[in-house]
Amino acid sequence: MGADLATILPMMFALVLGVVCHEWAHGYVAWKLGDPTAMSEGRLTLNPIPHIDPFGTILMPAVLALTGAPVFGYAKPVPVVFHNLRNPLRDMVWVAAAGPAMNLALALGATLVLSLLNYLGVAGPTMISVWRLAQAVVVVNVVLAVFNLLPIPPLDGGRVAVGLLPHNLGAALAGIEPFGFFIVFGLLATGLLGVVMGPVMGTVLALLQLLI
């Protein structure tokens, strides 16, 4: 809360970019695999407004921030009717994986921008602003990718795991979906989420650092 605008604005831009592209990727892959629901409902767009969930994107994060609780939120999920997919069990994995894959692609693209800036030499306020923005895109999208790949339904990683596991195990994992967000918030509130995600994020960022 005490950060200055030079820190907040790039992070906010990176967060909006990452979340919108994440949701767009889900809808685009679903469309290519046979489900036109996201297309017909106007969700295949990079305009952030259709992706805003009044409760999950605005109200809940604001209340949590004002009360000093760990901040958690979500965008409006892109609608996917899995029965419309040509091979629902297999294609569910591709649709779910598309969002985190998009976040990793954005992080990689921003890393290449940082590499170019590093090669050219960062000088002047404009170049420094671009550097900060690219850094924010890298960090935010790595966080989004790793978080969404946690094997907890309804997170993307949970849906990927359900599709890849043997039927009995997949069905058992799918059964916890109604409680998934409570599990995630519990991990967040207890600090265990950082313990789980930290090493993975550190490894991904270290690999990207090798490109700079």
Side-chain angles (χ1 to χ4, degrees):
M1 296 296 289
D4 59 14
L5 285 177
T7 301
I8 293 173
L9 291 180
M11 296 296 283
M12 291 299 295
F13 174 84
L15 184 60
V16 171
L17 176 68
V19 169
V20 170
C21 290
H22 178 108
E23 295 299 333
W24 177 87
H26 284 315
Y28 179 79
V29 172
W31 175 50
K32 287 297 184 180
L33 293 177
D35 177 33
T37 308
M39 171 69 78
S40 63
E41 295 189 12
R43 296 296 303 279
L44 280 189
T45 175
L46 296 180
N47 178 0
I49 294 177
H51 301 290
I52 292 175
D53 182 277
F55 178 76
T57 311
I58 300 173
L59 182 59
M60 185 173 72
V63 171
L64 292 173
L66 291 173
T67 58
V71 177
F72 178 72
Y74 53 88
K76 184 188 298 182
V78 165
V80 178
V81 179
F82 291 107
H83 294 298
N84 289 340
L85 299 172
R86 288 188 283 273
N87 187 326
L89 188 61
R90 180 201 66 193
D91 293 346
M92 176 181 71
V93 174
W94 293 112
V95 172
M102 172 61 78
N103 292 129
L104 290 175
L106 289 171
L108 177 60
T111 299
L112 296 177
V113 171
L114 288 172
S115 299
L116 178 61
L117 294 177
N118 190 53
Y119 174 77
L120 296 175
V122 176
T126 301
M127 295 290 279
I128 291 174
S129 296
V130 174
W131 178 276
R132 286 178 173 174
L133 181 58
Q135 276 188 319
V137 171
V138 171
V139 173
V140 167
N141 279 280
V142 169
V143 171
L144 288 172
V146 173
F147 172 74
N148 279 285
L149 284 174
L150 291 173
I152 305 171
L155 297 179
D156 299 326
R159 297 195 186 281
V160 170
V162 168
L164 295 178
L165 287 171
H167 178 72
N168 290 342
L169 292 176
L173 182 60
I176 73 170
E177 182 163 338
F179 315 103
F181 279 120
F182 296 103
I183 295 172
V184 170
F185 189 78
L187 292 173
L188 178 64
T190 58
L192 292 175
L193 189 63
V195 174
V196 173
M197 291 177 55
V200 182
M201 290 190 299
T203 300
V204 176
L205 289 170
L207 291 173
L208 293 173
Q209 179 73 22
L210 294 176
L211 298 175
I212 302 177

